[in-house]
Amino acid sequence: MSNTVNLHCIFSSWSGNPIPVIITEDNQILLKDVFAALQTVCSEVILALNGSRSNSSNADATDRLLGVMRQIQEHGRAVEPLITGFTAVYHHFDLDAQTPGNGYRTLVKVVLSCVTHILQKARYIASNCSGAFFRMDHNMAEMEAYCSALCQLRALLYLAQILLHDNAHGQLYSQEEGGLKDRFVQEYISMHKACFYGRCLGFQFSPSLRPFLQTAVISMVSFGENYKKKQTGLGIAALSFFTSGKYMVDPELRGTEFERITQNLDTQFWKTFWNLTETELLSSLTRIASTVVQVNVILIIPAVNLNLPLASDPSLSVSVNPPVAHWGPGPVKVRLISHTLRQGQDSAELLALSHPEGPQLSLPGGFSRQTAPLSPGLLIHFHGGGFVAQTSKSHENYLKSWSKELNVPVLSVDYSLAPEAPFPRALEECFYAYCWALKNCHLLGSTAERVCLVGESAGGNLCITVSMRAMSHGVRVPDGIVAAYPATLLTTDASPSRLLTLIDPLLPLSVLYKCIDAYAGELLSQVMLHTGLIQYRLFQNSFIHRSFVIVLFLGHSLYLRFELSVTAASSTDRHLGCFGTGHSKNLLEPKAAAAASSSTIPSDAPSPSKSHSVEKPRVVQEYPENFQPLRSRCLVDMHTPCTPLMKNPFVSPLLAPDSLLKGLPPVHIVASALDALLDDSVMFAKKLRNMNQPVTLTVVEDLPHGFLSLVQLSKETQEASDICVKRIREVFQLEEQPADQRQQGLS
């Protein structure tokens, strides 16, 4: 799917028909027309305001609006050559010609979307400013907000130029220590962001989602205002309801408060707010509109050793230990969803694992008690939530519809969450649940002839790393992976799409960093200090335990050497010797860790002899003379996580060596063009493509990060969900369902 920009308001004055425009390197003339229209319309507004000034009752607002229109003209003249430069080269960073999508394209798309809104509002002002019912203050505030947004986007384009100049051809991430990522953090802290959360909120997204975004932001700032009060999460939500009115009527206050919250409140706030969808009140409301299923039950998988057939020789077996990281062996919680009651799902053996407080098997009216045969497919799901929040309960709605549409049971894993359970606990639990599902598929209503892993965001990361873990253990790998907007690089490296964290209401940079820090940053080190004795005792008793302790403490390069050499080493003394050789001190040094994985992101240059420097826009080390972005009054000292573990391949699979990725099943990635993690998807797809690994990438338009959770809100999110279902069908080797039957099944 191509990156398109709907510029109908630009052309309506002379064509009369809305035209979806594809901005490519072949239509620079179109860009000139867009920015020429911007200059013309601004001049028309200035002329109209000067003509109506004598009749205006608000001269101050009129003067301010005149100044704003002149600033927009200045920004337009500066932005045009920047956009033209990026459109000339951004195709070099796509996965291929059939899959246009990367952060540079997205920045162009967002800027043009901002210009579109300015043109639309400016035309209205030019036509109506002399009218008796024209609200000068309101329209001045609207145009001032979009002028501020255009100013800040101009600054992001200058930062993107630095990335374009410093990075290798085809490379989207800046990995240099002290490079743009440090500069961007400082800019994020100091730059004004409130305009993107006030009147301009969600301008870049589909119009059908803007009411939801406004509701979400108002709820967030109201919740943040009452967060420190001694109330339960639901009590805070109730208080927030009564204080939300002021944020509805005052967009500037809303934007300022949202900026303060995103930069100052801790991980626990985000965990609490995101988990509001888990409350019985909200979940019961969403359940009303969800697909009815016969099976929706919580299971507790006991912590026992599992024996599975060795993938390379089924006559042999491999032992899989239960998760142990941080606090020792423990059970794993999962949710089984099935539209149809199947064999094994009502067995005494399965019901013995059901949680006494969880939902039980339900048979609504119209359903038959008769059990259906085992399904050949099994869908295993890992939810998103930044590794810190939510469970399968927040994702029930689309999982229920998928179970019905695909006619397969779904097993969703409720892995333990950071910061209380940082890496590798979630990975251990997901891998153990995957192995348990393979061994006990008959209880889940499936023969597991075809197994698909599906996950979104953090869950997409876990789909990939669980498959890597399965290969390293010799366990059967899944038949395919469907990852929606996966996080494949949990480092603080800058990329053009990550520049969008400055304007994204759902994934601001400070929140992204808090999630990374909770899962694999310094918070992990604090947990390790409290659990070191437990880990050491486990280390003495089990190889699987020892290997994960080595991952935890020493980083991935020693872990790989340990895994490769373990078959030749039989004595515990040898393993203990490896642990205490002094490698740990070296690998815990950031420089050593960086060197260990410095060459893992591919540059993907199609021709080594072709120089990219000729086509690059002008190099910008600082902002041009007489330009500075707007600065924020809400300054904080934002913590930037930086630990060697962030570069562990089981944390950041984009940094994994080819040997750990070779043999992965087909990977189907569904990303959003407006997602700050878009470049994670593009670069990981490139890495697999360069290894001749089967991979597909689909980039959907106009949707935010987390669009699967919004599937009931708009046609666009439903279409994106349908793309995920289509990819899952390919893994299960199912025929595509006709559109009329699919619509009937969802109703």
Side-chain angles (χ1 to χ4, degrees):
M1 301 178 69
S2 61
N3 282 49
T4 62
V5 181
N6 192 348
L7 300 177
H8 65 274
C9 63
I10 295 178
F11 298 96
S12 59
S13 62
W14 60 74
S15 70
N17 296 315
I19 302 174
V21 180
I22 302 176
I23 303 298
T24 70
E25 60 276 8
D26 298 325
N27 52 18
Q28 300 297 326
I29 296 177
L30 178 60
L31 286 174
K32 291 182 179 180
D33 291 341
V34 169
F35 286 98
L38 180 65
Q39 297 296 323
T40 300
V41 173
C42 287
S43 297
E44 290 174 356
V45 172
I46 292 171
L47 184 62
L49 290 174
N50 284 327
S52 62
R53 177 180 289 185
S54 58
N55 301 325
S56 176
S57 60
N58 194 340
D60 289 341
T62 302
D63 290 338
R64 282 180 63 182
L65 184 53
L66 283 167
V68 167
M69 301 313 298
R70 294 187 180 100
Q71 289 178 30
I72 290 174
Q73 285 184 311
E74 177 191 343
H75 292 317
R77 285 189 290 268
V79 165
E80 180 181 359
L82 298 174
I83 295 294
T84 302
F86 283 118
T87 57
V89 301
Y90 58 28
H91 59 284
H92 291 297
F93 300 87
D94 297 332
L95 174 63
D96 52 43
Q98 291 71 43
T99 317
N102 62 73
Y104 294 118
R105 284 185 181 270
T106 298
L107 285 172
V108 171
K109 179 184 176 72
V110 170
V111 172
L112 291 176
S113 181
C114 183
V115 170
T116 297
H117 283 79
I118 290 173
L119 284 165
Q120 190 175 35
K121 294 178 183 299
R123 286 207 177 93
Y124 173 82
I125 294 172
S127 302
N128 297 277
C129 64
S130 59
F133 299 102
F134 182 75
R135 296 186 296 164
M136 180 61 73
D137 285 328
H138 169 77
N139 285 281
M140 182 275 300
E142 289 275 310
M143 195 59 75
E144 198 169 50
Y146 276 98
C147 179
S148 299
L150 185 59
C151 175
Q152 304 306 77
L153 291 173
R154 177 182 171 185
L156 292 187
L157 291 176
Y158 288 130
L159 295 177
Q161 275 192 320
I162 299 175
L163 270 175
L164 191 61
H165 176 267
D166 291 347
N167 291 351
H169 181 73
Q171 175 64 265
L172 289 169
Y173 280 95
S174 171
Q175 294 185 291
E176 294 182 5
E177 295 296 331
L180 180 62
K181 64 179 180 181
D182 295 333
R183 166 82 180 273
F184 179 53
V185 170
Q186 295 306 313
E187 288 298 295
Y188 178 85
I189 292 171
S190 65
M191 281 176 66
H192 169 76
K193 299 172 283 293
C195 61
F196 295 108
Y197 311 131
R199 295 179 187 271
C200 303
L201 177 64
F203 73 90
Q204 68 271 39
F205 298 120
S206 170
S208 60
L209 292 178
R210 290 173 199 160
F212 159 76
L213 293 172
Q214 184 176 21
T215 302
V217 169
I218 290 173
S219 302
M220 193 179 299
V221 294
S222 302
F223 191 83
E225 181 181 355
N226 298 284
Y227 173 63
K228 295 297 183 181
K229 298 179 181 178
K230 295 182 179 179
Q231 295 282 342
T232 63
L234 195 57
I236 296 173
L239 286 174
S240 303
F241 175 79
F242 294 104
T243 60
S244 61
K246 60 185 176 182
Y247 298 117
M248 296 179 66
V249 299
D250 191 342
E252 282 73 32
L253 177 63
R254 179 179 73 216
T256 301
E257 184 66 8
F258 187 88
E259 182 178 354
R260 182 192 68 80
I261 285 174
T262 55
Q263 295 195 164
N264 288 282
L265 293 185
D266 57 15
T267 306
Q268 193 59 42
F269 165 79
W270 297 100
K271 180 190 285 281
T272 305
F273 180 75
W274 288 339
N275 282 341
L276 286 178
T277 56
E278 307 272 316
T279 61
E280 193 57 37
L281 176 62
L282 290 181
S283 61
S284 61
L285 290 175
T286 57
R287 201 176 295 135
I288 294 173
S290 66
T291 302
V292 178
V293 297
Q294 288 187 273
V295 180
N296 185 3
V297 60
I298 294 292
L299 306 174
I300 303 298
I301 302 175
V304 296
N305 286 6
L306 301 174
N307 289 315
L308 276 80
L310 189 66
S312 59
D313 186 355
S315 64
L316 302 177
S317 64
V318 58
S319 178
V320 176
N321 294 65
V324 297
H326 305 304
W327 58 75
V332 179
K333 181 180 175 182
V334 297
R335 181 187 298 272
L336 176 62
I337 295 174
S338 182
H339 177 257
T340 304
L341 179 65
R342 297 183 178 277
Q343 293 178 17
Q345 293 176 344
D346 59 350
S347 64
E349 188 177 355
L350 183 82
L351 294 177
L353 302 176
S354 63
H355 195 281
E357 297 179 359
Q360 301 299 306
L361 298 179
S362 56
L363 295 173
F367 280 104
S368 170
R369 180 70 194 186
Q370 184 176 358
T371 57
L374 299 176
S375 167
L378 177 62
L379 188 65
I380 300 178
H381 171 261
F382 306 133
H383 66 80
F387 298 100
V388 303
Q390 298 190 336
T391 68
S392 59
K393 193 172 186 178
S394 297
H395 303 261
E396 273 185 282
N397 288 339
Y398 67 84
L399 293 179
K400 288 177 179 179
S401 65
W402 287 3
S403 177
K404 180 177 182 179
E405 193 170 352
L406 295 164
N407 198 28
V408 297
V410 179
L411 188 73
S412 185
V413 182
D414 289 340
Y415 53 86
S416 298
L417 301 171
E420 296 81 7
F423 177 84
R425 187 74 191 196
L427 174 57
E428 285 188 343
E429 291 183 357
C430 289
F431 175 66
Y432 183 77
Y434 168 74
C435 293
W436 181 88
L438 292 182
K439 186 176 180 64
N440 297 277
C441 59
H442 60 287
L443 299 178
L444 304 176
S446 174
T447 61
E449 294 173 35
R450 305 287 296 180
V451 176
C452 178
L453 296 189
V454 63
E456 39 107 24
S457 192
N461 174 293
L462 291 168
C463 286
I464 298 165
T465 53
V466 163
S467 300
M468 292 163 55
R469 191 103 175 96
M471 289 191 297
S472 68
H473 273 68
V475 175
R476 168 193 170 182
V477 298
D479 297 284
I481 296 171
V482 177
Y485 37 91
T488 64
L489 185 65
L490 297 189
T491 69
T492 57
D493 297 313
S495 82
S497 73
R498 289 196 180 189
L499 296 181
L500 294 175
T501 54
L502 185 129
I503 73 172
D504 195 325
L506 298 182
L507 194 62
L509 183 68
S510 55
V511 178
L512 177 63
Y513 278 12
K514 286 180 175 71
C515 293
I516 292 174
D517 192 40
Y519 185 62
E522 293 181 9
L523 290 177
L524 170 58
S525 302
Q526 297 172 16
V527 174
M528 287 165 58
L529 291 175
H530 293 288
T531 58
L533 181 59
I534 295 175
Q535 294 284 11
Y536 180 74
R537 288 172 178 170
L538 292 171
F539 177 84
Q540 291 179 310
N541 296 327
S542 166
F543 157 63
I544 300 295
H545 300 169
R546 286 195 301 272
S547 66
F548 254 108
V549 173
I550 287 182
V551 175
L552 190 63
F553 283 89
L554 304 185
H556 77 269
S557 58
L558 180 56
Y559 171 66
L560 294 176
R561 291 199 295 272
F562 179 83
E563 287 279 65
L564 292 173
S565 63
V566 72
T567 54
S570 57
S571 70
T572 301
D573 292 339
R574 178 167 182 176
H575 296 312
L576 291 173
C578 177
F579 186 77
T581 58
H583 287 289
S584 58
K585 183 176 184 298
N586 294 331
L587 285 168
L588 289 174
E589 294 293 332
K591 291 182 179 179
S597 59
S598 60
S599 61
T600 51
I601 297 185
S603 63
D604 193 34
S607 174
S609 61
K610 181 175 180 179
S611 173
H612 189 48
S613 60
V614 177
E615 296 181 298
K616 291 176 182 174
R618 181 173 57 91
V619 179
V620 176
Q621 298 302 330
E622 299 294 338
Y623 294 123
E625 189 177 354
N626 300 324
F627 172 77
Q628 277 291 323
L630 301 174
R631 297 301 176 182
S632 174
R633 299 177 184 176
C634 179
L635 300 180
V636 294
D637 184 18
M638 192 172 78
H639 171 66
T640 303
C642 182
T643 65
L645 195 63
M646 290 159 53
K647 295 188 176 183
N648 186 296
F650 290 91
V651 174
S652 297
L654 181 57
L655 300 178
D658 292 358
S659 58
L660 271 182
L661 299 176
K662 198 69 177 177
L664 278 179
V667 177
H668 303 287
I669 301 174
V670 182
S672 171
L674 295 176
D675 181 16
L677 299 185
L678 170 63
D679 292 335
D680 288 42
S681 297
V682 176
M683 291 305 296
F684 191 67
K686 282 188 176 186
K687 187 180 182 75
L688 295 180
R689 177 74 59 84
N690 290 342
M691 296 170 52
N692 294 319
Q693 283 288 120
V695 60
T696 67
L697 172 65
T698 305
V699 182
V700 300
E701 300 296 327
D702 302 329
L703 299 180
H705 186 83
F707 58 72
L708 281 179
S709 297
L710 314 178
V711 70
Q712 294 177 314
L713 297 182
S714 73
K715 179 184 71 173
E716 292 85 355
T717 52
Q718 181 60 61
E719 289 173 350
S721 174
D722 291 343
I723 292 172
C724 295
V725 171
K726 179 181 178 181
R727 294 306 188 190
I728 298 171
R729 283 185 179 279
E730 292 177 13
V731 175
F732 287 146
Q733 298 179 343
L734 299 174
E735 293 183 2
E736 182 69 19
Q737 193 175 14
D740 55 344
Q741 293 183 21
R742 183 168 63 248
Q743 202 64 32
Q744 182 181 0
L746 292 174
S747 60

